[in-house]
Amino acid sequence: MAEGRRGNNLDAVKRHNLSTVLSLVHRRDASSRAELTRATGLNRSTTAALVNELAGRRLVETSAPDANARVGRPSPLVAANPDVVALAVNPEVDAVTVGVVGLDGTVHEVERHETAAIPAARDAVSIAADMIARLAFRRAGPKQGARRVVGVGVAVPGLVRESDGVVRLAPHLKWTDERFAAELAEATGLSVWAANDANLGANAEHLFGAGRGVTEMVYVNGGASGIGAGVISAASPLTGISGYAGELGHTLVNSGGRRCHCGAVGCLETEVSQRALLDVLGWKAADAGELEEALTGGKANGAVRREVDRQLASLAVALRNATNVFNPQLIVLGGFLRALVSAAPGRLDELVVAEALSVSAESVRIAPAELGTELLMIGAAELAFRALIADPAEWKG
């Protein structure tokens, strides 16, 4: 829902107006009721009634106005209730991660269960279900009641059919046509939605991170399972007819390159990889912060710098193509790509501007992701919050 969505004072569209107000509260820090009135175009009494109904459903909380406000009548502050939560799940090649995310965007808890091998889908379901059982209804704090769970969102490193959450293909996980969402729903008794991890990351950065206020954006993330991307067009996720859009990691950047998991040759994720950076450093593993420190510090010897230059050149080819095809305002880089770019400041920008069509490149900006390790938790939770925000009048929690 766009920030500029307008409300309607007719009683017949009360559900629409409830959704409008809750969406605004969800995507902002605490807002005054007066600010919500201006943003929706509703009158003050209608806004007050909507806020009161949402508060009665315990979806929002109201508090006293800012004592320092000097202009006009003080207006109560309205914020999303952090005890209304969604569970977020991210299966990866080496772990299953589960997080608890509040309706206010706060990530309350994250637990990572490492696996000795790539988890089969049924094993990932079992691990996630056990973690959800521990986390879901834990008390939110000494003064609050138990958490109220909206549902579960799953961020999958692969192609997920949007209509039913079936993982059609996740090459790194070696999953094909797995009913992951349905099986996790059966195991937990909760509603479950699933989508591609990079598409969810793109939406999270657009709503809460580097892409706030941007209508045209490409998000590219690098991780242990390869490279994924998501596109925001006209302020909405561009998913394709089945939810498979944004596979920038499988675009050709080197016709003489290595064969990829997908069967093609020279894909971006075979030429730009975290594993290759770790190998040249002589490391088995590292988190994003450790990798960035190594690439920008004293460990960046000649071999490291050459590998960084090689990967940046390949990444620039992909981003040139994305710039020419999507004409974005912003390209956001997450995961190990942040570390890669930090190793040679300004170099990627130079390459993309030099190689892309000049009229497309003149308006694009490249920036690091802002949400860090919480990105996929926030993105996956949005899947579960989406139905609630669309029709809060149906909320029975």
Side-chain angles (χ1 to χ4, degrees):
M1 187 185 305
E3 182 77 4
R5 176 175 171 177
R6 307 292 285 179
N8 191 300
N9 286 307
L10 298 175
D11 290 340
V13 292
K14 179 181 176 182
R15 287 175 181 263
H16 165 86
N17 290 338
L18 282 171
S19 173
T20 298
V21 172
L22 185 59
S23 177
L24 288 168
V25 172
H26 170 58
R27 296 180 184 187
R28 300 177 169 191
D29 295 327
S31 300
S32 71
R33 205 166 65 196
E35 289 172 330
L36 294 174
T37 298
R38 288 192 293 271
T40 59
L42 299 167
N43 61 46
R44 286 185 299 177
S45 61
T46 299
T47 302
L50 293 168
V51 168
N52 288 340
E53 178 161 343
L54 292 171
R57 295 177 182 275
R58 294 190 293 161
L59 292 172
V60 305
E61 299 175 325
T62 59
S63 59
D66 184 355
N68 296 321
R70 297 171 182 254
V71 179
R73 181 187 303 175
S75 178
L77 297 177
V78 185
N81 185 348
D83 296 342
V84 175
V85 303
L87 280 297
V89 177
N90 176 219
E92 271 279 11
V93 295
D94 56 356
V96 177
T97 302
V98 174
V100 182
V101 184
L103 184 59
D104 64 342
T106 300
V107 178
H108 295 297
E109 296 183 72
V110 177
E111 286 191 9
R112 175 181 166 90
H113 180 101
E114 295 188 359
T115 57
I118 297 173
R122 64 180 179 278
D123 295 328
V125 166
S126 177
I127 292 168
D130 288 344
M131 296 170 76
I132 287 170
R134 290 200 309 276
L135 295 173
F137 301 103
R138 185 179 292 175
R139 293 185 67 82
K143 295 183 180 180
Q144 290 91 12
R147 290 169 175 157
R148 293 178 298 143
V149 178
V150 172
V152 182
V154 185
V156 181
L159 302 179
V160 183
R161 189 163 60 206
E162 189 174 29
S163 60
D164 56 9
V166 170
V167 181
R168 296 300 313 281
L169 178 65
H172 293 276
L173 291 173
K174 301 179 181 178
W175 295 1
T176 302
D177 290 330
E178 295 287 355
R179 297 175 58 255
F180 189 86
E183 291 178 6
L184 186 58
E186 292 168 6
T188 61
L190 298 169
S191 298
V192 179
W193 298 265
N196 172 261
D197 57 352
N199 286 339
L200 296 179
N203 194 44
E205 281 290 337
H206 173 237
L207 296 178
F208 301 106
R212 274 191 173 191
V214 170
T215 60
E216 307 294 331
M217 185 188 93
V218 174
Y219 166 76
V220 189
N221 184 71
S225 291
I227 292 179
V231 178
I232 301 295
S233 180
S236 297
L238 181 66
T239 60
I241 192 169
S242 299
Y244 308 150
E247 287 297 320
L248 196 64
H250 294 287
T251 54
L252 176 66
V253 298
N254 181 4
S255 58
R258 295 184 292 113
R259 190 164 296 279
C260 179
H261 283 79
C262 72
V265 170
C267 289
L268 173 63
E269 68 175 43
T270 65
E271 299 298 317
V272 178
S273 77
Q274 179 175 281
R275 182 70 264 159
L277 292 170
L278 293 174
D279 286 345
V280 77
L281 286 166
W283 292 4
K284 289 185 177 180
D287 62 29
E290 292 169 336
L291 184 58
E292 185 167 348
E293 183 178 351
L295 295 181
T296 57
K299 296 183 182 294
N301 56 31
V304 172
R305 288 192 292 271
R306 286 191 294 274
E307 178 62 18
V308 167
D309 288 343
R310 186 192 69 78
Q311 292 204 23
L312 284 175
S314 293
L315 180 58
V317 173
L319 298 189
R320 173 198 70 191
N321 294 338
T323 299
N324 291 344
V325 171
F326 298 112
N327 186 209
Q329 299 164 266
L330 180 68
I331 296 175
V332 178
L333 301 178
F336 80 84
L337 298 182
R338 287 187 51 149
L340 180 63
V341 173
S342 296
R347 180 58 179 155
L348 184 63
D349 301 74
E350 293 173 1
L351 291 170
V352 172
V353 170
E355 296 178 8
L357 292 171
S358 59
V359 292
S360 296
E362 67 186 8
S363 59
V364 71
R365 178 171 58 91
I366 301 174
E370 292 183 358
L371 298 181
T373 57
E374 296 182 340
L375 176 78
L376 290 184
M377 298 294 97
I378 294 172
E382 281 300 298
L383 283 175
F385 288 137
R386 183 171 58 187
L388 167 65
I389 292 170
D391 193 0
E394 287 296 308
W395 171 243
K396 305 299 184 186

